[in-house]
Amino acid sequence: QGVSLFAQGALGAAAIGMAFGLGLLCVLYNLSRRLEREENVIQVAATIAIAYLSFYVSEELLGFSGVIAVVVTGITTRAFGAGMINDPHLMGSFWILVEQLLNTVLFTIGGVVWGVVISRTDERPEFGGVFGGTDWGYLILLYVLLNAIRFLLIFGFYPLVSRIGLKSNVREATFISFSGLRGAVGIALAISLESEIFAATANEPDAFVFREQASTAFGMVGGIALLTLLINGTLAGPLIIKLGLVKSSKTREKVLEKVNEEIRDHATDDLLHLLTDSRFKDVDFAVVSEHVPMLKKLNLEQLKKAIRRNKDSAPLAGYREPNLTNLLPYLVSQSPGKTSEMSESMEEIDRDFVRVAQSVLVMKHSTLNVPRSDHFSKSVRSAFAPELTTSETSHSGSSDPETPEDNPPPEQKFKESSPDEVASSAFEIRLIFIEAL
């Protein structure tokens, strides 16, 4: 008779849950206009309203299991109504919040009731029996059997699971078998069962027998939840490391390395941008690196690349040199022997910048026909644009013929300049370029 009642209650609750799930699908379908934000909120409200309504109808009105009805309602909605939800982010965020709040309430109530059950020292009809040493022994045995059953189920289906879908392996199956935690659903069912039995046996002469059984069942459920949290939950972390399931693949490591490199480059670029401001000239980079983890391993080579990126991306007329007074000594101390290499790299970057400036000046004059007047100083025109000076000389009446050897092109004259002369002219060229613009 007990098996019949259980099957009737479970199947009846499942039918009620499926019916309410189909009703919720109809509501979601009629509210599937994605441009109406108000309907998105109504969809979320409908899910929690239908969940409580299915529990009430199944538990209070029909005498079935309300928990099973709610579970089946959720499964039905998830299986057939995922595409009808207008705002999945809103729906997911709401139910994550509800889950946290209700789990907190459920475990608090379950912990209080379980504490009362295991702390009884005398047998009274109004409370039930005592959870004694024998019950604790059965609790340990039940915990071992439940874990063994879970291992048996997982590995019983392993030949099938390892060949379909995403597949699996022995290590994953072992961790799945061990990491099964018991909690919310079992505690909710135990609380519901105990409250129903206590209410139904209020006027029964043999109420103590039924209440003792209900209290023992609740003690077992609460004890299993506690043991799985303390043992399985605590040992799950070391076990997954021991099984090697947390080791990243080579592809994942390369992706993470690339992401870290991009983050470091962006942080370095932002640092150089801030160092162009005089307010940050006295900032200690050692302190900065302690607060910005991505800059802790910054080296001279990475700094050189960042300076080059900064010069290449900045407008030629608006580029400002970063103040490296406090940064370079720190990096040199971290990378001894590379000071000269960094100096040569900086000089190379400056020479490249000057070449770009000179080329732009020549193109500016040749394409836009800049007037040959006071826009450029005579010394600069004679050094970097000798064709201007030659043209002025011809215009003033000079009849000396010009040869290519006497008047080399500006690019050639620029290349013949010494590195020191080119580097020292960088600032002057920038000013000339601004004047040309």
Side-chain angles (χ1 to χ4, degrees), residues 21 66 89 105 152 156-157 166 178 183-184 255 271 285 314 316 404:
H89 178 71
V105 174
L152 181 63
F157 287 95
L166 297 177
F178 181 80
V255 171
L271 174 66
F285 181 74
L316 195 60

Side-chain angles (χ1 to χ4, degrees), residues 25-85:
L25 290 177
C26 295
V27 174
L28 296 178
Y29 177 78
N30 290 312
L31 295 173
S32 59
R33 293 185 289 271
R34 299 178 182 273
L35 299 180
E36 291 289 340
R37 181 168 178 80
E38 183 178 353
E39 293 188 356
N40 301 348
V41 178
I42 296 176
Q43 279 190 340
V44 175
T47 57
I48 192 169
I50 295 295
Y52 276 99
L53 187 60
S54 64
F55 181 90
Y56 176 78
V57 172
S58 179
E59 185 84 15
E60 300 295 334
L61 300 184
L62 301 178
F64 300 143
S65 172
V67 175
I68 295 178
V70 174
V71 171
V72 175
T73 300
I75 293 175
T76 304
T77 306
R78 177 65 180 177
F80 303 103
M84 301 179 188
I85 298 175

Side-chain angles (χ1 to χ4, degrees), residues 220-234:
M220 294 294 178
V221 173
I224 292 298
L226 178 64
L227 289 175
T228 55
L229 287 175
L230 292 179
I231 300 176
N232 299 60
T234 303

Side-chain angles (χ1 to χ4, degrees), residues 49-266:
I50 295 295
Y52 276 99
L53 187 60
S54 64
F55 181 90
Y56 176 78
V57 172
S58 179
E59 185 84 15
E60 300 295 334
L61 300 184
L62 301 178
F64 300 143
S65 172
V67 175
I68 295 178
V70 174
V71 171
V72 175
T73 300
I75 293 175
T76 304
T77 306
R78 177 65 180 177
F80 303 103
M84 301 179 188
I85 298 175
N86 297 339
D87 192 343
H89 178 71
L90 175 63
M91 184 73 72
S93 299
F94 172 79
W95 278 106
I96 288 175
L97 175 62
V98 171
E99 178 187 6
Q100 293 295 328
L101 294 177
L102 295 185
N103 264 334
T104 302
V105 174
L106 178 63
F107 276 91
T108 301
I109 296 175
V112 170
V113 176
W114 187 73
V116 172
V117 169
I118 65 173
S119 62
R120 291 173 185 157
T121 57
D122 58 339
E123 296 183 355
R124 289 187 291 175
E126 62 272 20
F127 293 123
V130 177
F131 200 84
T134 305
D135 296 317
W136 284 105
Y138 281 124
L139 175 61
I140 301 298
L141 178 62
L142 180 60
Y143 169 76
V144 175
L145 290 176
L146 286 175
N147 281 280
I149 292 171
R150 186 176 178 89
F151 270 90
L152 181 63
L153 289 174
I154 298 297
F155 281 94
F157 287 95
Y158 177 75
L160 178 63
V161 175
S162 62
R163 290 174 171 80
I164 62 175
L166 297 177
K167 301 182 180 181
S168 181
N169 54 46
V170 176
R171 294 178 299 170
E172 292 177 350
T174 302
F175 181 74
I176 294 172
S177 302
F178 181 80
S179 60
L181 304 181
R182 277 78 176 181
V185 176
I187 292 176
L189 289 171
I191 291 175
S192 177
L193 176 65
E194 187 184 42
S195 62
E196 284 190 6
I197 291 178
F198 271 65
T201 59
N203 300 319
E204 294 289 335
D206 54 350
F208 175 76
V209 177
F210 298 106
R211 293 185 177 185
E212 181 182 21
Q213 294 174 351
S215 297
T216 302
F218 188 90
M220 294 294 178
V221 173
I224 292 298
L226 178 64
L227 289 175
T228 55
L229 287 175
L230 292 179
I231 300 176
N232 299 60
T234 303
L235 297 178
L239 177 62
I240 195 173
I241 296 175
K242 184 68 175 179
L243 293 174
L245 296 177
V246 295
K247 293 182 179 179
S248 301
S249 62
K250 292 183 179 180
T251 303
R252 177 180 174 83
E253 290 178 355
K254 289 182 179 180
V255 171
L256 291 177
E257 181 181 354
K258 184 64 176 177
V259 171
N260 289 332
E261 182 180 343
E262 291 290 334
I263 296 175
R264 186 197 62 228
D265 289 345
H266 281 291

